[in-house]
Amino acid sequence: MDQYIVKPLTGSNPIKVEVPGSKSITNRALMLAALGKETCILHGVLFSDDSRAFLSCLEELGFEVKIEEEQKKVTITGMGGEIPNKNATINVRSAGTAARFLTVMLAFAGGRYTLNSSEQMKKRPMEPLLTELRKAGVKITCLEKEGHFPFIIESENVTIKEITIDTSISSQFASALLMSATLLPDGLTLHMSGERSSGAYVLMTLSMMEQFGIQVIKNGADCEIVPGQSYGLKEYSIEPDMSAACYFFAMAAILNRQVTVLGTHEANSLQGDKKFLGILRDLGCKVEDLPEGVTVTGVDHYPGICVNMKDFSDQALTMAVVAAFADTPTRIEQIGHIRMQESDRIQAIINELNRMGVGCREIPESDGIEIIPAPIHPAEIETYEDHRVAMAFTLAGLRAEGIVIKNPLCCGKTFENYFEVIDSIIAQDI
């Protein structure tokens, strides 16, 4: 499918949808299960390009993995910190979580590993993490550009006791070090600096480590993982993906409809993107956490707002499209780091809103953008091989005529059947 022509929704009936399991929780659970001592059954697993990349890497490393896609289930035989194949070649493809998590895991576990990636992942930053691993005595040979994929890792008996990591570029660096620290015979004290040292994804990692039975002593931005821990779970259930759910919650605001995402719950969710529900409340939407899932009910008109999205920046694109239909301008602040994700997302927002006739400009002093609403023109949306660009800008076409999404299959990174779900909503729209 080279393009997807979005059809506007004009009905008024309530919408109910299901979304896949959380990408962030899935990939953390895969790693924690592999490093644990139990045979662990993971329920509600997200199957996408990213998670399949992670699973393929685990198989290449020699782990026993049973995959049951229709049941959304994966069974992993944990090896208690051992890597079965200590001389392996893996390919993380475009999966940022697999790239960062497995790099540290293999460096701390010991052995000789060749790590390859997609061309897209080769552009994403790895240097801060590689620098710290080299300080710990790990030999890393970059095969193309220094500080980037692909590279060879060689290590034996890593015993570093303290590491300092800056979370500003990517909190995945910190999460990778935290989860792999149990492999170090003397444990690890991780000193986290940067504005996301206590951000949503680090807190998710710490919560999941606790759920799997790993003791972490937290003191401000420092975390101590004590040595000699044995841990693991026999079963673990993965929440529905709140990042995916937010596209449909946003639909409620844009279309003034009632939308329920089944199985999602705000109160106990580990996922930082639940903060997007607070934005929708600020816009005047009604948000209810009901037994069947979170329900959002839109309003006829909503104002522009100023919002800091540092801790849930995956929804910056979604918010930008919501802002295009507001009554007044919107400012989205503290999102400079999204320039270095699957695409330069700030530039993508500016380009594609402008392409639709909506005003958008960068605000350097607040590390953000300003969006000035205007009537939307028909447009072909460039997606930059970025799933979140494709999914977010589809929302504009559900209200405005003439929006076409180029290369929609890039959604396979996290939400393979996104456009099938959109089609089912359109088919039932009355």
Side-chain angles (χ1 to χ4, degrees):
M1 184 166 60
D2 294 331
Q3 62 179 27
Y4 180 84
I5 301 171
V6 190
K7 299 177 182 176
L9 291 171
T10 57
S12 59
N13 280 355
I15 296 168
K16 295 185 179 183
V17 298
E18 292 184 14
V19 298
S22 163
K23 179 191 80 167
S24 300
I25 295 177
T26 291
N27 286 337
R28 284 165 174 78
L30 291 174
M31 182 160 170
L32 291 168
L35 292 179
K37 65 177 183 178
E38 303 284 354
T39 295
C40 182
I41 302 172
L42 303 176
H43 301 278
V45 172
L46 166 70
F47 287 99
S48 67
D49 291 349
D50 276 16
S51 59
R52 288 195 186 92
F54 209 126
L55 286 164
S56 176
C57 289
L58 291 178
E59 289 175 324
E60 291 294 334
L61 292 167
F63 288 94
E64 184 180 334
V65 180
K66 181 182 178 183
I67 299 170
E68 300 171 85
E69 286 206 18
E70 288 189 7
Q71 288 75 38
K72 301 176 184 177
K73 186 165 71 172
V74 170
T75 304
I76 298 178
T77 300
M79 299 298 292
E82 289 294 319
I83 307 298
N85 180 5
K86 287 186 173 291
N87 188 357
T89 296
I90 63 173
N91 191 328
V92 301
R93 305 180 203 173
S94 295
T97 44
R100 279 66 181 261
F101 293 0
L102 293 173
T103 293
V104 181
M105 183 177 95
L106 298 178
F108 286 176
R112 186 183 190 278
Y113 309 97
T114 301
L115 283 73
N116 295 313
S117 76
S118 69
E119 291 299 317
Q120 185 188 65
M121 189 63 216
K122 289 178 184 179
K123 300 173 185 176
R124 297 181 67 179
M126 289 292 294
E127 189 276 331
L129 189 59
L130 301 186
T131 295
E132 294 305 319
L133 294 176
R134 283 168 168 155
K135 290 179 184 176
V138 179
K139 181 182 178 182
I140 300 172
T141 306
C142 293
L143 301 177
E144 295 181 15
K145 184 180 178 182
E146 181 57 42
H148 294 262
F149 275 92
F151 46 77
I152 296 171
I153 292 176
E154 297 173 90
S155 64
E156 185 178 2
N157 301 323
V158 177
T159 57
I160 192 166
K161 295 181 180 180
E162 295 188 48
I163 292 179
T164 299
I165 195 74
D166 186 352
T167 63
S168 298
I169 294 175
S170 174
S171 64
Q172 289 174 356
F173 297 159
S175 290
L177 291 162
L178 287 166
M179 288 188 288
S180 294
T182 55
L183 296 169
L184 298 174
D186 297 328
L188 180 72
T189 298
L190 182 65
H191 306 287
M192 290 180 283
S193 63
E195 56 190 16
R196 288 187 285 169
S197 58
S198 59
Y201 288 107
V202 171
L203 295 177
M204 174 191 288
T205 300
L206 292 170
S207 294
M208 289 186 65
M209 290 172 67
E210 182 180 359
Q211 290 171 344
F212 271 80
I214 301 171
Q215 181 186 2
V216 181
I217 301 170
K218 197 168 188 311
N219 182 17
D222 296 344
C223 290
E224 180 186 354
I225 293 83
V226 298
Q229 297 194 54
S230 178
Y231 67 92
L233 290 176
K234 294 184 183 297
E235 293 189 86
Y236 187 82
S237 293
I238 293 161
E239 300 174 19
D241 194 288
M242 192 63 76
S243 300
C246 285
Y247 299 112
F248 300 97
F249 296 144
M251 189 185 298
I254 292 169
L255 299 175
N256 186 20
R257 297 278 286 269
Q258 184 183 91
V259 178
T260 301
V261 182
L262 301 171
T264 56
H265 294 287
E266 184 179 11
N268 299 316
S269 175
L270 297 176
Q271 301 172 71
D273 277 8
K274 67 182 180 181
K275 292 184 178 181
F276 187 71
L277 293 169
I279 291 181
L280 296 177
R281 288 189 180 95
D282 291 342
L283 298 182
C285 297
K286 182 180 181 182
V287 180
E288 301 171 279
D289 195 336
L290 303 174
E292 66 175 346
V294 173
T295 297
V296 178
T297 305
V299 289
D300 279 336
H301 295 276
Y302 52 85
I305 58 173
C306 180
V307 57
N308 182 328
M309 298 190 74
K310 177 183 68 176
D311 285 340
F312 54 118
S313 60
D314 275 351
Q315 295 310 315
L317 282 149
T318 317
M319 185 62 216
V321 175
V322 171
F325 296 98
D327 292 336
T328 53
T330 291
R331 287 173 70 113
I332 304 174
E333 300 183 338
Q334 300 302 309
I335 56 169
H337 58 281
I338 71 173
R339 285 193 180 282
M340 296 178 287
Q341 296 181 311
E342 283 82 345
S343 68
D344 179 342
R345 288 179 173 168
I346 287 181
Q347 195 60 53
I349 290 170
I350 294 169
N351 290 350
E352 303 315 305
L353 286 181
N354 289 168
R355 198 186 306 275
M356 297 192 307
V358 177
C360 185
R361 65 186 183 94
E362 192 168 354
I363 310 292
E365 61 269 24
S366 62
D367 226 6
I369 54 175
E370 182 180 39
I371 297 144
I372 299 92
I376 288 181
H377 305 158
E380 289 191 358
I381 301 300
E382 182 62 56
T383 52
Y384 311 93
E385 292 286 338
D386 190 332
H387 57 131
R388 300 216 179 277
V389 177
M391 290 189 282
F393 277 89
T394 295
L395 300 175
L398 296 176
R399 179 164 163 182
E401 292 274 2
I403 300 301
V404 177
I405 306 298
K406 297 167 69 175
N407 186 25
L409 295 184
C410 65
C411 289
K413 183 173 173 65
T414 53
F415 196 160
E416 289 184 331
N417 66 329
Y418 178 75
F419 287 101
E420 293 175 20
V421 176
I422 295 294
D423 283 340
S424 70
I425 293 171
I426 292 169
Q428 300 172 45
D429 188 42
I430 54 175

